[in-house]
Every structure is written in structure tokens, then in C-alpha cells.
Amino acid sequence: MTISVFKLFTGIIILAFTVSTVFGQEKTTSPSPFTDKDMVSWDYASKTIGEDYTIYVHFPPGYDTTKTKYPVLYMTDGDWNMTVAMNCFNMLRQDYKTTEALIVGIGYGNRPNKRNRDLNPETGGPKFISFIEQEVIPFIQSKYRVNDNKALYGYSFGGMFTTMVLFNHPGLFNMIFIGAPGNTGRELMPSAQKYFTTHTDLNCRVFLGVGSYEHENAKNIEQFTAYMKKQNCKNLDIDFAITPGANHGAALAQVMQNAIAFAYCQKHKAILLTAKELESYSGNYKVAGDEKDTFKVYLSGGKLYFKQNDQLPQEFAPYAKDSFFMYEDEKADINFKTEDGKKYLVFNFPGEKPVRLDRVN
């Protein structure tokens, strides 16, 4: 989608809540609560830009009962991106060990939406990032328990903006997320090539995403990612995902979920083990004292599988010697062990007692 077409989205504020605060660099001394008890908003008067903004803050689970300092995920288009981000974290933590984050959205509340100006690198983008760097980040650091890990997410015009920040303000954020740049991603390669004329490294984790129906954007993102990997930067971690069967609007939620999973969810990376190594784990297993359930670990097609009773088998993918995971539930760690000449495996689930299965043959 080109910039001109995306202007249709300019005035759309997709909210599942209403805003009713007035603060301005601080017009009030406390934020306004939402129906969601874990979220508040501040109205903030920017000295850099000379206009008012709404800053939304969503607290991670346990924020009010711990002394933990949390990473911060800053989001453009906070008026609608906040609810999507909250739901992404809620869904992902069901399946992954998740690093919780304080989510901060920068938006316009019930004021005129000026994202076309603020997020466009050719117009208000440089001033908007100065506002974030000089005002929003210090404000959040002064109000909340946060650590130095900072991420910035943007979609469409926001993706153009985060591209600019990645190369023009290296080091400001630890992670940058570029969603479906509104200029079809045509500035990705030129920005990178210009950067590497004077730099040899880029210390950042970068994720890009777009819907598959944005064909040019998807091609540019894929070529850009390949180019970045070829630079062999020691401190760069970059990946992308194309959301199948989706255009610009439909892809937004999945792109954001992929970015959050990339950054905040523990995902294992499978390694290669030989068939002989995998075969050594094969056998029948049982839980001590339980004669009802049967468990089988077996090799098929060069992969290791686990089968309980008559259930469908699940692949055991190795991420280290004697250590495996399941793609269906990456929260579980599966470890094969030997004790007094007897082999067994242990399922470890977060917050639960480990389950030991002894090999019987």
C-alpha cells in the first residue's frame, strides 16, 4: 500500500476503550485509569513539537507485587496498537516462556491524528523521534520501574518511522520492529546501504513483517533481510515473517504477534543430531507406579517422536545434546538422563513439578 492510499487510515482510531484525561507535561499529577486495571494514560504536552499527546502505559503481570525492573516496548499509533499488543502478550504467554514488558503507546487520544506528519521521515519524523528520546523515554523512566532494554514498534507509516530510527539513531533502542512500511519498503535497502558506508556493525535485534498480498513490500523486506545478514554484523540479530493470505490491514495483528514472539518469547533453535544419536533415546517409558499410561519414543524419517497411549505423536526436536523441545508447546523442556546405569527422561513445565519417565526397554 502506498502512502497516498494509506492516508485513508489517518483518522481511524480503533479503540476498545475511551480516553478522558488531561495532563500536559504534567497537567495533572496522576494518570487516568482505564476499565482495564492494568492500564493508564497520561496527556503530555511536548515541548519539542509544541503539541499535546496521549501516552498509554500498560503494566505487565506482577508489576504491583514485585520490585522487578521491566523492559519497555514503545509503540507508535498507541491509540489502537495498545490493545493489540496487550492481547498478543496474553496469547503468547500461554505457549511460551515470556519476558514481560511495560508497554508504552504514543498516540493522540481524542485530538486530531497527525501520524502522517509525525511518522513520515520526510516531514515530522526527525522531530518526533527527538520527542520520544528527549521527553517520552525520560518521563517513563522517572515514573515506572524499568530497565535499560528498550524496543520500538511501528506499522505502515510507523514502519517507515522505525526504519529511519534504526539507521539514523543506532543504539537508542535495543530492538526495532518494522511492520509493513507504508512506502512499500522501498527505502529499506537505500537506508541500509547508506548506513554501511560509514559503519561496520549494528547492535540491535530487528524484526520485519508484512502480509503476503503486499507483494512488493514482502519482496523488499526479504531482500533487505538477506542483505543485512550478509554484512556479518557481530551484534545484529535479524529476522522476518510474511503473514500468508493477508493484506495491509488484516496482517497488522499477526505481524505484531510475530514481532513480540521474536523479542520476548523463549524459542528454541533445533540442532542436528545423527540418526544414531537420536536412536539412543528410543524406547518405552513409564511413570513409576503408573501402569495405565504407556509412552513411546521412536525414530522415524530421521526425527525423534514421542507418543502417549493412542494420542497423535509429537516431534522431539533437539536444541542441545540430551535436551529436546516440542514445537506444539515450547514451554516444556525434555531432558534425557542416565542414573546408576538406568535411562529416563524428565518433562519440565514452568511452575509445575517435573515429571519423570523411566525407560523400561
Side-chain angles (χ1 to χ4, degrees):
M1 180 174 289
T2 63
I3 295 176
S4 59
V5 176
F6 193 73
K7 286 182 179 178
L8 292 171
F9 285 78
T10 303
I12 300 176
I13 307 296
I14 306 171
L15 287 171
F17 42 77
T18 57
V19 180
S20 60
T21 51
V22 181
F23 153 73
Q25 209 173 25
E26 296 180 27
K27 292 180 179 175
T28 62
T29 57
S30 61
S32 172
F34 280 82
T35 302
D36 184 329
K37 64 180 179 61
D38 294 322
M39 184 165 163
V40 298
S41 72
W42 299 85
D43 280 359
Y44 191 96
S46 169
K47 290 183 177 179
T48 303
I49 300 177
E51 295 185 19
D52 290 357
Y53 291 85
T54 297
I55 299 176
Y56 306 93
V57 180
H58 183 267
F59 304 102
Y63 182 88
D64 57 347
T65 59
T66 70
K67 295 183 179 179
T68 302
K69 290 186 176 182
Y70 293 89
V72 185
L73 170 56
Y74 292 92
M75 312 197 80
T76 63
D77 291 316
D79 298 305
W80 61 75
N81 276 338
M82 288 297 291
T83 50
V84 183
M86 290 154 51
N87 287 327
C88 287
F89 272 97
N90 287 338
M91 298 302 104
L92 287 167
R93 70 170 64 96
Q94 295 183 40
D95 296 328
Y96 299 95
K97 294 178 183 177
T98 304
T99 298
E100 302 295 346
L102 189 83
I103 309 173
V104 175
I106 306 166
Y108 304 90
N110 53 11
R111 308 174 196 86
N113 188 300
K114 297 184 179 180
R115 64 189 305 274
N116 286 19
R117 178 199 67 188
D118 289 341
L119 301 181
N120 190 334
E122 296 181 0
T123 55
K127 187 172 286 189
F128 194 65
I129 188 58
S130 294
F131 162 54
I132 294 174
E133 180 179 11
Q134 298 169 17
E135 299 187 61
V136 178
I137 292 175
F139 173 76
I140 294 299
Q141 291 174 336
S142 71
K143 294 288 184 183
Y144 301 105
R145 290 196 322 276
V146 298
N147 59 33
D148 293 331
N149 190 299
K150 302 184 296 296
L152 180 65
Y153 173 91
Y155 192 88
S156 195
F157 265 102
M160 294 164 52
F161 178 73
T162 54
T163 299
M164 177 198 75
V165 175
L166 174 65
F167 294 113
N168 292 2
H169 299 265
L172 180 56
F173 293 93
N174 306 87
M175 298 183 286
I176 292 285
F177 309 133
I178 302 171
N183 54 6
T184 67
R186 63 176 178 267
E187 290 300 318
L188 288 168
M189 283 292 288
S191 298
Q193 291 167 342
K194 180 179 179 181
Y195 175 85
F196 284 111
T197 60
T198 55
H199 297 78
T200 58
D201 199 3
L202 182 59
N203 187 2
C204 195
R205 299 192 70 202
V206 181
F207 183 86
L208 303 94
V210 70
S212 64
Y213 292 156
E214 290 196 67
H215 303 293
E216 184 177 354
N217 218 335
K219 181 185 71 173
N220 288 335
I221 283 175
E222 190 168 359
Q223 291 177 345
F224 168 78
T225 305
Y227 172 82
M228 294 294 286
K229 289 182 177 180
K230 287 182 180 178
Q231 304 313 303
N232 296 317
C233 298
K234 293 188 296 183
N235 297 300
L236 173 66
D237 180 17
I238 186 169
D239 203 358
F240 76 98
I242 307 299
T243 298
N247 212 323
H248 196 81
L252 186 149
Q254 188 60 58
V255 168
M256 186 185 295
Q257 181 163 303
N258 290 339
I260 291 173
F262 168 82
Y264 299 103
C265 294
Q266 177 181 308
K267 286 191 170 186
H268 298 86
K269 291 186 178 180
I271 63 171
L272 291 175
L273 293 180
T274 65
K276 182 178 180 180
E277 289 173 310
L278 293 173
E279 182 66 41
S280 67
Y281 303 110
S282 298
N284 294 311
Y285 292 78
K286 71 173 185 177
V287 178
D290 183 355
E291 301 300 328
K292 180 176 64 176
D293 290 327
T294 60
F295 304 89
K296 182 178 181 180
V297 178
Y298 63 96
L299 185 67
S300 177
K303 297 180 179 180
L304 198 66
Y305 291 91
F306 173 83
K307 191 173 187 297
Q308 178 180 358
N309 299 328
D310 295 327
Q311 297 180 12
L312 292 173
Q314 293 177 283
E315 182 184 350
F316 275 3
Y319 68 89
K321 183 174 174 57
D322 300 331
S323 297
F324 293 75
F325 69 96
M326 297 180 292
Y327 290 103
E328 296 88 344
D329 188 356
E330 290 206 34
K331 277 187 173 181
D333 278 329
I334 302 104
N335 305 113
F336 287 88
K337 299 185 178 183
T338 302
E339 187 176 280
D340 297 330
K342 297 180 179 180
K343 293 185 177 182
Y344 64 96
L345 68 86
V346 178
F347 279 91
N348 290 287
F349 293 90
E352 299 181 18
K353 184 178 179 180
V355 178
R356 171 172 169 162
L357 280 68
D358 294 303
R359 190 163 85 170
V360 293
N361 56 48

